[in-house]
Amino acid sequence: MHEVDGLNAGFASALLEQYLENPEAVPSEWRALFESGASELVATHPGLARLVELLQEDGNGHVATPPAPAPAAVAEAPPAPSAPAPAADNTLLGAVAAAMALVKAYRTHGHLAARLDPLGSEPVGDPSLEPERLEPKLTPELQQLIPADILRVHVPGETLADVLPRLRETYCGTSAYEIEHISDHEQRVWLRSAIESGRYRQPLMPDERRRLLERLTEVEGFERYLRRAFLGQKQFSIEGLDVMIPMLDEAIQLAAEEGAHEVVFGMAHRGRLNVLAHVLGRPYETILREFEGERTLEAVVSDPEGGTGDVKYHLGAEGSRQTPSGDITLTLASNPSHLEAVDPVVEGRTRAEQTDRSSRTGYHDSSVAMPIQIHGDAAFPAQGVVAETLNLADLSGYSTGGTLHLIANNQIGFTTDPADGRSTRYSSDLAKGFDLPIVHVNADDPEAALAAVRLALAFRRRFCTDAVIDLVGYRRHGHNEQDEAAYTQPLMAARIERQPSVREQYEQELVDEGVVSQEEADAMAAEVDARLKEAHERLKTTFGQGVPAVAYEGRIPASSRAEIVTAVGADRLRALNDELLAVPEGFTVNPKLAKQLERRREALDQGGIDWGQAEELAFASLLVEGIPIRLTGQDTERGTFSHRHLVLHDAENGQAYTPVQNLREATASFEIHNSPLSEEACLGFEYGYSVAAPEALVAWEAQFGDFVNGAEVAIDQFIVSGLSKWGQTSRLTLLLPHGYEGNGPEHSSARLERFLQLAAQENIRIANCTTAAQYFHLMRRQALDPSARPLIVMTPKGLLRLKQAASELRELAEGWFQPVIDDPAADPAKVRRLVLCSGKVYYDLVGHELRQDVDWIAVARLEQLYPFPVSAAGQLVRRYPGLEELVWAQEEPQNMGAWRAIRHRLEEALPEGVHLRFAGRPWRASPSEGYPTAHLKEQDRIVREALSRT
Ligand SMILES: Cc1ncc(C[n+]2csc(CCOP(=O)(O)OP(=O)(O)O)c2C)c(N)n1
């Protein structure tokens, strides 16, 4: 495709030629210009007639000998406007087109010539920015003859000659912009006007400048004090990007002005202690105490029962700040080392804050809270979760009304140079694909950095869209304080050593301009140092009085033993069922589906409540009890296996209707969304949501459980360990389709073994139900249990429709969730072998020919795998006095499934002399067979092994 981008010197005339040949071939804005006609242009801009003359002097539109007319003379004696001859028409339009190309080049490529690097590296520049390389050459004389108003620029000036330096200043200064990739015309026009008019770059008032200097002094003083006092301890200093703190101040202020009650921050290690101290307002003492080795931060204090805690630069915090627009809560999300993994969590948390869950669909108001994500320049382009998270931004189930992304760009990742770290020019380039505006700003120009925040947030406010600031600074020290940067980047390290800090530079500027005196500036620095010293001294006097550092093995506060009523009265279930099957007047349910749904009406009386119906009844009953629910996942509205159908689509007009959002007595919201095809960001998002909405049942469903390992970081680093590390609870529920049905190695296993390996200290719950009623009670228990824990459910595929797995109304109206289900038909006196299993394989066992008429074998089910139901398992085996053998039967290979995690539990439960045996697939590198016949054979072999006489 031929891209009209203004790069070539001959671009303008080429464009005109193109236009003369085929007007449709040029962009509409150019066409409009050409079509306005030279005569009209000349008529409205008489000075252009002179331009025509000049251009015609060499007959080619080139000015042969620069006539260097005095501008005044041109202005004084413009030739009388007259209709130019056609040749003149073309040369005039060519010059105007060249001028317009130049403007466009500044807007599009100005960033290439911007002075963004505080360390002074030369910008690459671009030929399209040089007026003399255009065709026709835009000499200074010609520039003076081209009126600015036909160029549609927003910088002040009468002619191109006036506006060009201003464009250069605007687009190639210490700030630079990438906006022309944005496909939305209105956004582009808004941005051009906002940038060129300078409305967000108003000069600061003297007292604002003084305040900024004070802030930079605090930022620097804090880092320097820590380094002096705790030589060699990791602090991941912010120095080189110090202005980030005043930028966050500005963002908070603006968020409050826009009505936000909360800002949720996500960030990694770099500068985090400074953010904790100066943004979240954590007292210096608490941070200094951490350095002194006394662990008192809240996560540890509130978790005296055996959490591991976490390093100081991962801990989250909450603070608040008074602003002229009111108080605002500031939340810094706890995060793991895994860079960028927190991004979706922050979005989910923010979304939860923005959602009113008392209405039926959940009312989302994005003005209530704002997310700010601080990224590393190496991590942003390289960690896939960034792209996954950016992709959530405009989706109705995930939007947070726009995130401010701040890339803390110190031009290095640990020891890796950008050339080895990304294939794009800028760290921020990924964001271009999401149509986001990008402001690059030199971190040593603090006033420009604040202006970048104002622009970005004005854009967010106007368009509810993300915006990116690429804050280009440097890293004054090594990656951390134990690292020597000169080993790997000797030249850069030497250059940085010569670089005065941003505070020093700004101080000089303010002193030179008389805004502060040198004495005042010195006093500021002394005052900051004194405050830190004083806090440190105060702290020392309290040593030993703090909470002792406890990190002992133990159980995290366990699941509550409270009686939870999960049964729901039959009358209520009937009423809910009727409502769930009702659609509005005139709504046409797909006729095939209507038949399936009709069966749900009969099921309450005749039995056969299947999985989908039991789930919907569980949800509906919770909603009328005031428990909000959020359910997301790939194709979740219908259900991957077409079993759910919570959202109906009118067969005539496609309109959607969700019965469960229309229950008369519901007092809580039901949110349901098909998710994008992402695991990590989507699961991370739901985790964040569930943390901020502890009262809600938040469930995420994998398409097949096999794909959940795409979200392994969210599982390992947040879901299973968040409580231990940060005291952070969640009742997030994972629905993971699991079961061996001959669909190959990637449609069989949700990797139960992994969850079991990660289970300890009652951090999570893991279940695998075999009946619809069990699932009903499990989900209700999960929502109602006062003790919040993540729940991992191995959900079925074939069982969704299996008759034997369906339930009767009585089982929902009376029972409860049973962690173990004994064999209902067994005669305990006769049983010599107990086959214990979990999940779908139960039906393979009881349906097998070998099982028929065998009374010495009992087949029981373990429905809750973790916490292991010790007493129920004990009772189970004790019921069979003649037991000789327990066979654990599973579909999964021996190195997978539950076997290795529960074997010791089974051994403990068994009386002396009872033999324990495994029946399942042998050790395997891949979970299951790729061939359906091989699968059937293997499945049959396992069942035979479990049931046959040996
Ligand atoms: C997913 C992941 N991979 C690797 C690391 C190890 N690591 C820690 S910091 C770092 C460099 C990060 O560079 P950048 O994103 O530019 O942030 P900076 O430290 O320079 O502020 C690396 C590779 C990590 N923490 N997370």
Side-chain angles (χ1 to χ4, degrees):
M1 195 186 87
H2 171 67
E3 197 188 334
V4 184
D5 63 359
L7 263 179
N8 307 324
F11 166 74
S13 40
L15 201 61
L16 179 62
E17 268 171 42
Q18 215 179 341
Y19 169 78
L20 292 172
E21 216 154 85
N22 172 16
E24 294 305 312
V26 300
S28 57
E29 59 202 86
W30 294 94
R31 203 159 56 236
L33 171 75
F34 296 148
E35 282 166 6
S36 72
S39 352
E40 218 174 282
L41 271 181
V42 173
T44 51
H45 301 87
L48 285 176
R50 173 72 186 131
L51 176 64
V52 172
E53 277 174 26
L54 283 175
L55 287 168
Q56 287 193 310
E57 277 176 24
D58 73 350
N60 285 321
H62 293 252
V63 181
T65 43
V74 175
E76 270 165 30
S82 59
D89 232 36
N90 293 355
T91 49
L92 167 61
L93 290 176
V96 173
M100 293 183 80
L102 189 63
V103 170
K104 180 155 189 172
Y106 271 89
R107 288 171 172 163
T108 313
H109 304 299
H111 58 89
L112 293 169
R115 288 174 289 109
L116 296 175
D117 180 6
L119 303 179
S121 65
E122 267 304 302
V124 291
D126 192 83
S128 69
L129 302 170
E130 298 171 26
E132 307 247 352
R133 292 177 71 157
L134 285 158
E135 191 67 30
K137 269 187 195 168
L138 292 176
T139 60
E141 294 74 26
L142 291 190
Q143 289 174 27
Q144 283 171 343
L145 295 171
I146 297 176
D149 62 347
I150 59 174
L151 301 175
R152 288 181 246 166
V153 289
H154 308 273
V155 292
E158 296 292 312
T159 68
L160 176 61
D162 300 332
V163 302
L164 191 55
R166 293 194 167 119
L167 286 174
R168 206 173 276 139
E169 214 171 82
T170 303
Y171 285 107
C172 311
T174 49
S175 302
Y177 308 88
E178 290 187 272
I179 55 170
E180 294 296 325
H181 57 278
I182 295 175
S183 59
D184 184 298
H185 180 249
E186 196 189 344
Q187 291 185 7
R188 278 198 316 276
V189 169
W190 186 92
L191 282 162
R192 285 175 199 148
S193 151
I195 292 164
E196 292 170 16
S197 67
R199 9 184 221 282
Y200 300 103
R201 283 208 66 168
Q202 302 296 339
L204 297 187
M205 294 290 147
D207 61 325
E208 292 172 318
R209 301 181 83 191
R210 204 172 302 121
R211 180 70 205 119
L212 177 53
L213 179 62
E214 259 169 28
R215 204 60 171 145
L216 292 173
T217 307
E218 284 171 345
V219 172
E220 182 179 287
F222 177 72
E223 297 288 357
R224 289 188 176 180
Y225 187 88
L226 290 182
R227 196 164 36 258
R228 267 203 325 271
F230 306 102
L231 193 69
Q233 277 209 45
K234 286 185 190 175
Q235 65 190 69
F236 294 108
S237 153
I238 201 172
E239 289 156 282
L241 291 164
D242 312 45
V243 72
M244 200 166 93
I245 301 296
M247 287 171 85
L248 296 177
D249 292 338
E250 185 76 18
I252 292 166
Q253 184 96 355
L254 290 169
E257 268 174 37
E258 287 162 29
H261 305 308
E262 180 160 354
V263 176
V264 184
F265 298 91
M267 72 179 299
H269 49 282
R270 181 74 49 214
R272 188 164 176 127
L273 297 179
N274 223 304
V275 168
L276 278 170
H278 294 128
V279 180
L280 276 293
R282 196 158 271 277
Y284 286 152
E285 280 99 309
T286 56
I287 297 173
L288 294 167
R289 192 183 286 275
E290 279 278 297
F291 275 88
E292 291 286 2
E294 282 212 28
R295 319 214 55 205
T296 61
L297 293 187
E298 276 155 21
V300 176
V301 174
S302 65
D303 183 18
E305 284 209 53
T308 58
D310 203 349
V311 293
K312 50 185 166 288
Y313 38 85
H314 288 167
L315 297 175
E318 198 160 285
S320 73
R321 183 178 288 199
Q322 291 174 336
T323 77
S325 323
D327 286 4
I328 188 162
T329 301
L330 307 171
T331 306
L332 174 63
S334 298
N335 62 276
S337 275
H338 293 57
L339 294 168
E340 307 292 344
V342 78
D343 298 5
V345 178
V346 166
E347 297 299 324
R349 278 186 87 135
T350 310
R351 174 78 183 204
E353 297 297 344
Q354 294 174 340
T355 305
D356 173 0
R357 285 177 289 279
S358 63
S359 65
R360 286 177 188 172
T361 51
Y363 176 69
H364 176 230
D365 175 2
S366 62
S367 71
V368 171
M370 182 173 89
I372 298 183
Q373 305 261 15
I374 299 166
H375 309 274
D377 58 302
F380 188 79
Q383 291 292 312
V385 68
V386 176
E388 287 192 26
T389 308
L390 290 174
N391 187 46
L392 301 179
D394 260 354
L395 308 178
S396 69
Y398 298 84
S399 165
T400 50
T403 300
L404 176 64
H405 298 274
L406 202 159
I407 300 178
N409 184 350
N410 53 23
Q411 310 192 58
I412 194 165
F414 204 161
T415 67
T416 300
D417 291 320
D420 295 323
R422 59 177 188 257
S423 291
T424 53
R425 177 180 298 280
Y426 295 112
S427 167
S428 54
D429 281 339
L430 173 71
K432 281 164 105 174
F434 291 90
D435 260 8
L436 307 186
I438 296 156
V439 185
H440 305 280
V441 62
N442 184 321
D444 272 5
D445 185 345
E447 296 189 15
L450 297 193
V453 172
R454 287 196 289 273
L455 175 71
L457 290 187
F459 180 80
R460 175 190 188 262
R461 180 175 56 222
R462 173 72 184 74
F463 296 103
C464 287
T465 301
D466 290 15
V468 179
I469 298 176
D470 174 24
L471 178 67
V472 186
Y474 57 91
R475 193 183 69 199
R476 180 159 294 278
H477 306 286
H479 173 65
N480 60 53
E481 286 56 33
Q482 296 157 3
D483 252 339
E484 175 53 83
Y487 288 161
T488 48
Q489 276 77 20
L491 302 183
M492 193 184 196
R495 173 69 190 80
I496 289 169
E497 209 159 321
R498 295 197 305 275
Q499 179 79 354
S501 74
V502 63
R503 199 237 349 130
E504 286 160 352
Q505 293 179 53
Y506 196 55
E507 174 187 296
Q508 194 61 53
E509 189 182 322
L510 298 201
V511 169
D512 288 350
E513 292 176 24
V515 179
V516 292
S517 66
Q518 188 60 55
E519 292 71 37
E520 277 178 276
D522 292 344
M524 273 181 204
E527 207 259 327
V528 168
D529 205 53
R531 258 173 34 216
L532 278 152
K533 267 206 197 92
E534 196 202 325
H536 203 170
E537 289 306 320
R538 228 184 5 251
L539 163 74
K540 284 179 184 164
T541 64
T542 67
F543 273 174
Q545 294 168 20
V547 177
V550 274
Y552 51 83
E553 283 298 306
R555 194 162 53 79
I556 292 172
S559 60
S560 77
R561 299 285 177 245
E563 273 303 310
I564 301 160
V565 180
T566 56
V568 178
D571 289 346
R572 171 163 272 187
L573 287 172
R574 275 182 211 287
L576 290 172
N577 196 49
D578 286 345
E579 278 196 85
L580 294 171
L581 291 170
V583 290
E585 265 300 295
F587 187 95
T588 313
V589 181
N590 174 295
K592 236 162 65 189
L593 180 58
K595 267 193 219 147
Q596 287 178 44
L597 294 177
E598 228 16 67
R599 259 183 254 137
R600 289 188 181 181
R601 202 181 296 283
E602 295 151 17
L604 262 60
D605 291 322
Q606 297 169 12
I609 298 172
D610 67 10
W611 221 270
Q613 187 174 12
E615 182 185 74
E616 195 174 18
L617 286 169
F619 289 160
S621 64
L622 289 168
L623 293 171
V624 298
E625 288 169 44
I627 308 283
I629 298 169
R630 178 178 160 96
L631 173 65
T632 60
Q634 290 158 29
D635 308 291
T636 284
E637 293 180 2
R638 187 201 75 169
T640 296
F641 311 103
S642 199
H643 71 287
R644 180 174 287 129
H645 297 288
L646 283 176
V647 181
L648 305 174
H649 297 269
D650 189 307
E652 312 273 309
N653 59 26
Q655 262 179 10
Y657 178 71
T658 307
V660 71
Q661 283 177 336
N662 287 280
L663 301 173
R664 267 192 324 265
E665 288 180 42
T667 51
S669 58
F670 186 80
E671 296 176 71
I672 181 161
H673 300 283
N674 284 341
S675 80
L677 214 170
S678 139
E679 280 76 29
E680 181 165 4
C682 286
L683 187 52
F685 187 100
E686 300 311 325
Y687 173 77
Y689 193 109
S690 70
V691 166
E695 84 291 5
L697 175 65
V698 180
W700 175 84
E701 183 174 62
Q703 183 118 72
F704 282 83
D706 309 68
F707 303 115
V708 74
N709 56 8
E712 200 60 47
V713 176
I715 294 165
D716 294 350
Q717 264 57 45
F718 291 92
I719 294 172
V720 302
S721 59
L723 179 59
S724 177
K725 292 190 292 187
W726 315 313
Q728 189 160 287
T729 53
S730 157
R731 65 178 75 238
L732 179 62
T733 299
L734 274 60
L735 305 177
L736 309 178
H738 174 86
Y740 282 55
E741 296 174 6
N743 290 315
E746 278 80 45
H747 291 78
S748 298
S749 174
R751 303 286 187 168
L752 174 61
E753 63 279 0
R754 289 223 178 113
F755 291 100
L756 285 166
Q757 187 206 32
L758 296 169
Q761 301 178 284
E762 300 193 8
N763 59 338
I764 54 175
R765 301 171 181 136
I766 305 175
N768 191 0
C769 310
T770 51
T771 71
Q774 278 282 87
Y775 180 57
F776 172 90
H777 291 295
L778 177 73
M779 292 300 272
R780 284 186 44 83
R781 193 183 74 167
Q782 175 66 359
L784 296 169
D785 194 331
S787 155
R789 286 293 181 280
L791 167 68
I792 319 297
V793 193
M794 301 287 122
T795 58
K797 293 170 281 187
L799 303 200
L800 296 171
R801 293 186 176 77
L802 188 76
K803 267 213 177 81
Q804 299 93 302
S807 301
E808 292 174 16
L809 178 61
R810 183 184 48 78
E811 295 172 81
L812 275 51
E814 289 168 14
W816 55 86
F817 175 76
Q818 303 170 62
V820 173
I821 303 180
D822 200 351
D823 189 331
D827 177 351
K830 294 184 179 157
V831 169
R832 297 199 304 280
R833 180 189 296 167
L834 175 63
V835 176
L836 187 60
C837 63
S838 188
K840 169 234 151 201
V841 74
Y842 169 76
Y843 294 101
D844 296 339
L845 286 160
V846 295
H848 198 270
E849 58 186 15
L850 288 183
R851 173 72 186 132
Q852 310 315 310
D853 307 322
V854 175
D855 60 3
W856 58 278
I857 297 181
V859 182
R861 291 164 265 179
L862 186 61
E863 304 268 306
Q864 177 174 304
L865 293 146
Y866 188 84
F868 187 83
V870 175
S871 81
Q875 274 173 28
L876 174 75
V877 293
R878 281 196 299 274
R879 206 166 82 88
Y880 299 106
L883 200 62
E884 292 167 9
E885 186 184 42
L886 177 75
V887 177
W888 172 257
Q890 68 175 38
E891 305 176 297
E892 301 88 345
Q894 195 164 348
N895 52 322
M896 301 178 191
W899 170 242
R900 292 207 292 170
I902 63 164
R903 178 183 187 162
H904 67 289
R905 293 292 195 182
L906 300 177
E907 282 168 354
E908 278 163 21
L910 285 179
E912 277 281 315
V914 179
H915 179 63
L916 176 63
R917 181 158 68 84
F918 171 83
R921 284 174 170 75
W923 284 58
R924 285 277 178 265
S926 157
S928 83
E929 305 74 23
Y931 306 98
T933 43
H935 158 79
L936 287 174
K937 220 166 136 193
E938 189 60 359
Q939 211 68 11
D940 188 62
R941 184 193 61 74
I942 292 166
V943 175
R944 283 179 188 282
E945 219 170 82
L947 297 177
S948 59
R949 279 173 200 282
T950 44

